């Protein structure tokens, strides 16, 4: 495929191939191909978060030197990238999550431009697969007229995640700071009700795509293993939510998780597997397009972007 100014794609080749562009985020900054699959990381922009949203429940005395080592000022806002994964496999064009749309944060909601740069129109998308129902992953599913944006696509969500967000009682039981999450999710899921397919942990939801329960960040959060032969990539969503503390101290509770203890246990187990098997991962909020691998680093891990 031709290289242009705004989209950087890597042609198919034997084994896993990957291209990256350095420090500046482009719409399709990183892509890889294996078997018949081509996977791209597309930018939906970034979020702006108060530090306590993640760091609040952590042991502050231990946190401070860890952040200092990584050049992170604990008083500065956090600005994590939002990376939407696009899979092209034969006639299938699959989106994992749909970004934030225009109703969440002004710094996010850029997926349509990213898709355009990658040569994909909304009507080309055959499947939309959700990791979970938080705004930056779900709210971009509707267009400006509140109709499904990907009108030709089959929409797919884990059964437990759907049940949680569709339940009208969730708005009354969720943490008060996330009430808008529940209201927004319910409204969007109502629009998808007649076009949704449910799946459970361990199911092969599409050829070469298996669902993996990674509960905790949200009640039914799912990751997805994309596999062709002996090669695989794990789309981890927000089960590994940042490139610093989540890797260095995966067992610490994070304020971004709805069930903090469950999420920490999930994160620790997943990182152990990824590091042991050296399986590539794509993280929704990881830097440089989110494609890389986890490596052991003392008692924890570190994120190594592909090509580093």
């Amino acid at each position: 495929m031709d290289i242009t100014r705004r989209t950087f794609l890597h042609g198919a080749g034997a084994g896993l191939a990957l291209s990256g562009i350095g420090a500046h985020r482009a719409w399709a900054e990183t892509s890889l191909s294996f078997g018949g699959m081509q996977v791209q990381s597309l930018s939906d922009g970034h979020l702006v978060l108060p530090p306590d949203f993640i760091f609040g429940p952590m042991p502050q005395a231990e946190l401070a030197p860890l952040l200092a080592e990584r050049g992170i000022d604990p008083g500065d806002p956090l600005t994590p990238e939002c990376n939407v994964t696009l899979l092209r496999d034969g006639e299938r064009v699959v989106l994992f999550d749909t970004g934030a749309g225009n109703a969440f944060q002004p710094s996010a909601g850029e997926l349509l431009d990213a898709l355009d740069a990658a040569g994909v129109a909304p009507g080309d998308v055959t499947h939309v697969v959700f990791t979970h129902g938080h705004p930056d992953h779900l709210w971009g599913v509707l267009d400006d007229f509140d109709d499904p944006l990907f009108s030709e696509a089959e929409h797919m969500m884990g059964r437990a995640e759907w049940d949680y967000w569709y339940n009208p009682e969730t708005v009354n039981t969720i943490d008060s700071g996330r009430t808008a999450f529940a209201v927004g999710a319910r409204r969007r899921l109502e629009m998808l009700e007649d076009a949704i397919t449910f799946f459970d942990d361990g199911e092969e939801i599409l050829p070469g795509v298996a669902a993996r329960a990674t509960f905790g960040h949200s009640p039914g959060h799912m990751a997805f293993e994309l596999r062709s032969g002996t090669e695989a990539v794990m789309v981890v969503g927000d089960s590994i939510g940042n490139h610093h503390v989540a890797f260095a101290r995966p067992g610490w509770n994070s304020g971004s998780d709805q069930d903090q203890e469950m999420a920490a246990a999930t994160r620790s187990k997943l990182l152990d597997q990824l590091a042991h098997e050296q399986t590539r991962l794509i993280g929704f909020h990881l830097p440089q397009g989110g494609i890389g691998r986890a490596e052991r680093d003392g008692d924890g891990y570190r994120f190594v972007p592909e090509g580093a």
Side-chain angles (χ1 to χ4, degrees):
M1 189 171 291
D2 292 338
I3 297 176
T4 67
R5 183 174 64 86
R6 290 187 64 207
T7 180
F8 295 76
L9 307 175
H10 196 283
L16 270 170
L18 184 133
S19 61
I21 329 191
H24 297 289
R25 182 78 165 111
W27 289 125
E29 183 183 62
T30 46
S31 65
L32 56 86
S33 58
F34 56 106
M37 294 182 174
Q38 183 183 49
V39 180
Q40 293 169 254
S41 168
L42 302 180
S43 176
D44 191 52
H46 67 275
L47 301 182
V48 180
L49 304 172
D52 277 357
F53 185 74
I54 291 177
F55 301 145
M58 296 178 179
Q60 299 301 302
E62 297 175 60
L63 174 66
L66 188 152
L67 295 180
E69 288 173 7
R70 290 155 178 79
I72 299 171
D73 186 331
D76 287 345
L78 302 174
T79 57
E81 293 184 11
C82 297
N83 307 305
V84 175
T85 299
L86 174 71
L87 166 66
R88 292 191 254 204
D89 183 18
E91 296 182 354
R92 287 181 293 277
V93 180
V94 185
L95 272 182
F96 293 88
D97 296 327
T98 57
N102 60 11
F104 186 49
Q105 290 195 2
S107 58
E110 299 176 349
L111 179 59
L112 276 178
D113 286 337
L115 285 168
D116 181 63
V120 177
D124 297 334
V125 176
T126 61
H127 299 82
V128 173
V129 181
F130 295 105
T131 60
H132 64 298
H134 285 168
D136 49 331
H137 298 256
L138 171 64
W139 284 18
V141 76
L142 300 182
D143 64 18
D144 291 341
F145 302 97
D146 276 353
D147 293 321
L149 177 60
F150 304 100
S151 56
E152 302 302 311
E154 178 182 359
H155 292 68
M156 311 178 79
M157 181 177 275
R159 191 181 310 274
E161 188 74 359
W162 173 279
D163 288 347
Y164 176 76
W165 294 109
Y166 197 77
N167 185 344
E169 287 302 310
T170 294
V171 71
N172 300 318
T173 58
I174 198 170
D175 179 88
S176 60
R178 300 176 189 247
T179 300
F181 289 18
V183 173
R186 168 79 187 201
R187 184 169 71 83
R188 287 161 177 82
L189 296 185
E190 285 177 339
M191 299 299 297
L192 299 177
E193 187 172 10
D194 295 331
I196 197 78
T197 299
F198 301 117
F199 56 84
D200 297 302
D201 179 32
E203 288 189 28
E204 185 177 45
I205 64 171
L206 294 167
V209 180
R212 166 77 179 273
T214 44
F215 300 166
H217 179 71
S218 69
H221 187 287
M222 288 283 185
F224 302 94
E225 183 184 75
L226 316 183
R227 178 170 293 277
S228 179
T230 60
E231 296 173 314
V233 176
M234 187 79 75
V235 179
V236 302
D238 283 2
S239 57
I240 305 172
N242 59 72
H243 67 287
H244 35 77
V245 184
F247 280 81
R249 299 292 185 270
W252 283 2
N253 287 357
S254 171
S256 64
D257 298 324
Q258 288 188 239
D259 186 328
Q260 296 177 11
E261 291 186 3
M262 179 183 290
T266 293
R267 187 164 49 246
S268 297
K269 183 177 180 181
L270 182 59
L271 279 167
D272 181 69
Q273 175 194 341
L274 293 169
H276 176 73
E277 297 177 355
Q278 280 298 283
T279 299
R280 284 175 171 86
L281 63 99
I282 306 176
F284 194 87
H285 293 304
L286 301 185
Q288 300 183 41
I291 300 179
R293 63 188 186 278
E295 286 188 351
R296 277 282 184 184
D297 184 16
D299 294 333
Y301 305 85
R302 66 187 182 101
F303 176 62
V304 182
E306 200 63 37

